[in-house]
Amino acid sequence: MSRSTPVATTLKYLALACYLVFLAFPLFWLVSTALKTPQELALIDPTWIPDEITFDNFRAAFDEQPIVRSILNTLLVAGVSCAVTVLLSIPAAYVMARYRSALSRLTLVWVLLSQIFPFILVIIPLFLLLRDLGLYDTYIGLIAVYVVWSMPFALWMLRSYVETIPIELEEAASMDGASKLRTLRSVIAPLLAPGVVAAGLFAFVSAWNEFLFALVLIRDPDLQTLSLTLVKFIGAEGVARLGPLAAASLVATIPSLIFFAVMQRRLTGGLLGGAVKS
């Protein structure tokens, strides 16, 4: 294996540094905007760092909109969507990986094709379906939509991850008298932990950031998620109140950042394990 030259190593680190700056800049600008005064936000030439730090934008955001309630609503919807997606995807991915048939291949094709459809194409049929089922303007209807939308990715990744698990482990469990359900629960599921974390994070973040489905399917102000609350800082003419909007958006990013920080190691292992076969 050839070693990298000092110039190549320097270029790699330089490219990595530029990429990190690219990722971190939106968060930096969000913090900067949230801490600026209205006068500084109105300047034609914006400043990078606030000349005078103020927390009035945070007070205004919490006083004008029910930020805390929206966060709790979103945590409930995203958390339940994440849990249901994972619980349904594990056995389905196992069946798709271990029982090869024309039906399983057709299911895989449909899983891939379902990701092609844009949100706007299915929103009206979903609205009519949930209205007829009595699930319009309810958490159950919104969670069901999020689960259906997240499962294709979870299925595809977990299926690849199951295929990396040696079949001999299942055969050994079967020889010891374990049923298929017991094998799945006691042997397969623990080995799927990194992939489950990755799939769960995808489902959680997708539900946390989603806007269009929530806008169409939720009408009750007490049930609105955080994305619907944030949009209220934009006036009818499209003029945004940058200070309170940035403050509320910054608060909205904290739960997902904490979630990612806690699950970072398992997330990396799940993505690599589900993508590469041994």
Side-chain angles (χ1 to χ4, degrees):
M1 181 182 296
S2 60
R3 295 183 178 180
S4 300
T5 63
V7 175
T9 302
T10 302
L11 291 177
K12 290 179 182 178
Y13 281 109
L14 181 61
L16 179 60
C18 292
Y19 182 64
L20 292 177
V21 170
F22 174 77
L23 292 180
F25 179 77
L27 183 60
F28 164 77
W29 192 251
L30 190 65
V31 174
S32 176
T33 303
L35 297 177
K36 290 179 180 178
T37 62
Q39 294 77 16
E40 193 170 356
L41 288 172
L43 296 175
I44 297 178
D45 297 325
T47 56
W48 292 88
I49 300 176
D51 295 330
E52 179 183 352
I53 295 179
T54 179
F55 294 95
D56 290 341
N57 293 322
F58 291 91
R59 284 191 288 269
F62 280 90
D63 290 341
E64 295 176 12
Q65 301 295 338
I67 302 296
V68 176
R69 185 179 64 194
S70 298
I71 290 177
L72 295 177
N73 293 343
T74 311
L75 281 174
L76 174 63
V77 172
V80 175
S81 300
C82 169
V84 175
T85 299
V86 169
L87 290 176
L88 294 179
S89 298
I90 291 176
Y94 176 78
V95 171
M96 293 170 62
R98 290 294 189 245
Y99 298 95
R100 301 296 182 87
S101 64
L103 181 60
S104 63
R105 289 192 293 269
L106 183 61
T107 303
L108 277 177
V109 172
W110 173 247
V111 165
L112 290 177
L113 289 178
S114 65
Q115 298 299 288
I116 300 176
F117 300 127
F119 286 4
I120 197 65
L121 185 65
V122 298
I123 193 64
I124 295 179
L126 279 175
F127 168 79
L128 296 176
L129 177 63
L130 293 179
R131 185 193 62 182
D132 294 340
L133 294 176
L135 298 178
Y136 172 69
D137 200 22
T138 64
Y139 283 147
I140 296 178
L142 186 61
I143 290 172
V145 171
Y146 287 163
V147 169
V148 171
W149 203 259
S150 299
M151 275 196 65
F153 173 83
L155 279 174
W156 184 260
M157 189 183 65
L158 289 177
R159 170 187 170 272
S160 298
Y161 204 87
V162 170
E163 290 178 344
T164 65
I165 300 176
I167 192 67
E168 290 78 11
L169 294 177
E170 298 178 43
E171 294 174 349
S174 178
M175 292 179 63
D176 289 338
S179 63
K180 286 293 184 182
L181 182 60
R182 178 66 182 274
T183 301
L184 178 62
R185 184 177 70 251
S186 302
V187 178
I188 303 300
L191 297 176
L192 286 178
V196 168
V197 171
L201 279 175
F202 173 81
F204 181 88
V205 174
S206 297
W208 182 270
N209 295 328
E210 203 281 324
F211 174 74
L212 181 60
F213 287 143
L215 176 66
V216 176
L217 302 178
I218 296 295
R219 182 180 57 185
D220 188 347
D222 293 336
L223 302 180
Q224 289 185 343
T225 57
L226 194 54
S227 58
L228 300 181
T229 301
L230 293 178
V231 80
K232 294 180 180 179
F233 290 105
I234 301 177
E237 298 179 356
V239 179
R241 301 185 57 212
L242 292 179
L245 176 59
S249 300
L250 182 60
V251 173
T253 62
I254 293 176
S256 58
L257 288 177
I258 295 175
F259 204 40
F260 264 113
V262 172
M263 299 295 182
Q264 180 182 8
R265 292 183 179 180
R266 289 191 175 184
L267 171 66
T268 304
L271 290 176
L272 294 178
V276 180
K277 296 183 179 180
S278 58

